[in-house]
Amino acid sequence: MGETRGLKILTSLAQDGRLTVKLAEESLPPPTGYEILVRVEAAPINPSDLGLLFGPADVANADYGDGRIVAQMPDAAVRAMAARIGEAMPVGNEGAGTVIAAGDAAEAQALLGRRVACVPGGMFAQYRLVDARSVLLLPEGASAEQGASAFVNPLTALGFVETARAQGHKAIVHTAAASNLGQMLVRIAREDGIPLINIVRSEAQAATLRGLGADHVLDSSQADFLQALQDAVEATGATIAFDAIGGGTLVSQILHAMERAASKGAAYSRYGSDVLKQAYIYGALDTAPTVITRSFGFGWSVGGWLLFPFLQRAGAETVERMRQRVRDSLTTTFASAYKARISLQDALSRDAALAYNARRTGEKYLILPNG
């Protein structure tokens, strides 16, 4: 087999702040050793992809055409991203497709003609060379669309549960909870018997989660939200939160509710309760500053949570157990829904870019590079 030619999406940042996203041709050599060549058939656009693809660039006022987008990046962002200036970077954390060629290693040869999911980066492309030992072999009959989101959201949702258990928490608070990830977490929590408080931003989103059987669904747009949050924390004993929003006051409000619940009926202490209240920020749907009003004593912690550092700490045995659970329940517990399916070329059109970059909860887009 000779070289394989295809298209991929690249993003680059110039010194003057111009961000260029374009389609580029590439040639991939035949796979060797443990390598496999995957014909990419589906790749989701995750928020983490958008951070690399566009970041805070002015997509609304960008120039579109000729298979590219050219947008202006704010000066502060250009300074913060100095290390990527001049680098043409591939995009797309994960996806799924069919193995059309393989190196001579037995592990690679065994995957020929099979459909796999993988998370090597650069999946907004027609073809991708990956290590056979890192992929997830999809069940017989599973489509690429069903397997496209088999890594980031499922392992993140499972990672939240593993983190909570390891740190001794018995109930969880989750924000932006109507997302694909949030719906997976609802199913996991029900299967594992873990109390879960779901915070959403509209009644329609709340109805979606109630339809999945979620017990505690709170709409932050309602006037009684703070009281409802306090009541739910008291009912569940939640002391850990995973926040996808990032900016604003919601994390502070959650910690305050946890402190009120932990202090209820206890003797007064000027240091607050001795129950550790933990909040992890794992997303940036709101890029404004995170505002923390310290109304919850000293027994609290706010930090960041990312999937891949968690997986490195968790160890091979835990990660393999998580991966197997995803494979076993790919079309049920870990099923994903998509608002629209677009081609690589469509992804660079103005209408599509503005739609998927809006990052609306529950409106995930799927790229079909060879569709």
Side-chain angles (χ1 to χ4, degrees), residues 60-320:
N61 295 303
D63 293 327
Y64 293 83
D66 298 323
R68 69 180 58 212
I69 302 170
V70 181
Q72 188 64 37
M73 189 76 77
D75 290 342
V78 174
R79 292 191 294 271
M81 299 179 184
R84 66 165 289 188
I85 290 176
E87 297 287 332
M89 308 182 75
V91 194
N93 278 325
E94 64 179 331
T98 300
V99 179
I100 60 172
D104 54 11
E107 292 89 338
Q109 286 291 315
L111 295 174
L112 262 176
R114 304 296 299 275
R115 185 164 279 146
V116 299
C118 51
V119 60
M123 290 296 284
F124 295 170
Q126 292 181 310
Y127 301 95
R128 189 73 172 85
L129 275 175
V130 300
D131 191 318
R133 296 165 294 184
S134 68
V135 305
L136 180 70
L137 176 63
L138 298 183
E140 286 290 345
S143 68
E145 180 171 321
Q146 290 171 323
S149 295
F151 277 92
V152 175
N153 282 348
L155 294 183
T156 297
L158 288 172
F160 291 168
V161 173
E162 294 285 341
T163 299
R165 283 174 172 159
Q167 296 180 6
H169 302 278
K170 67 177 185 178
I172 298 171
V173 180
H174 185 222
T175 72
S179 64
N180 274 327
L181 188 159
Q183 294 180 41
M184 291 178 191
L185 187 58
V186 168
R187 300 185 193 110
I188 294 168
R190 285 182 61 81
E191 291 173 9
D192 294 4
I194 299 171
L196 175 66
I197 300 171
N198 304 275
I199 299 177
V200 298
R201 291 179 285 185
S202 72
E203 179 52 38
Q205 293 174 352
T208 295
L209 296 188
R210 293 191 190 102
L212 295 176
D215 294 321
H216 301 280
V217 184
L218 311 180
D219 180 354
S220 62
S221 69
Q222 297 298 307
D224 64 347
F225 166 66
L226 293 180
Q227 185 58 55
L229 176 61
Q230 167 104 27
D231 294 343
V233 170
E234 288 184 13
T236 61
T239 50
I240 187 169
F242 295 92
D243 174 52
I245 296 173
T249 61
L250 185 54
V251 165
S252 188
Q253 291 168 341
I254 293 169
L255 292 174
H256 177 75
M258 290 177 178
E259 174 66 12
R260 290 285 299 272
S263 300
K264 192 171 184 178
Y268 168 76
S269 169
R270 63 185 182 276
Y271 302 116
S273 73
D274 58 4
V275 174
L276 177 62
K277 299 158 288 293
Q278 175 71 59
Y280 286 112
I281 297 173
Y282 75 95
L285 295 177
D286 183 346
T287 57
T290 303
V291 180
I292 300 293
T293 302
R294 292 174 52 196
S295 58
F296 29 78
F298 288 83
W300 60 277
S301 178
V302 175
W305 195 100
L306 287 174
L307 174 60
F308 293 106
F310 163 78
L311 294 176
Q312 291 172 349
R313 294 190 302 268
E317 182 177 340
T318 297
V319 172
E320 183 53 37

Side-chain angles (χ1 to χ4, degrees), residues 7-29:
L7 296 173
K8 64 180 178 181
I9 290 179
L10 294 176
T11 176
S12 60
L13 180 63
Q15 187 73 49
D16 62 3
R18 284 181 301 114
L19 178 86
T20 301
V21 180
K22 67 179 183 179
L23 277 178
E25 292 186 351
E26 65 173 339
S27 296
L28 290 84

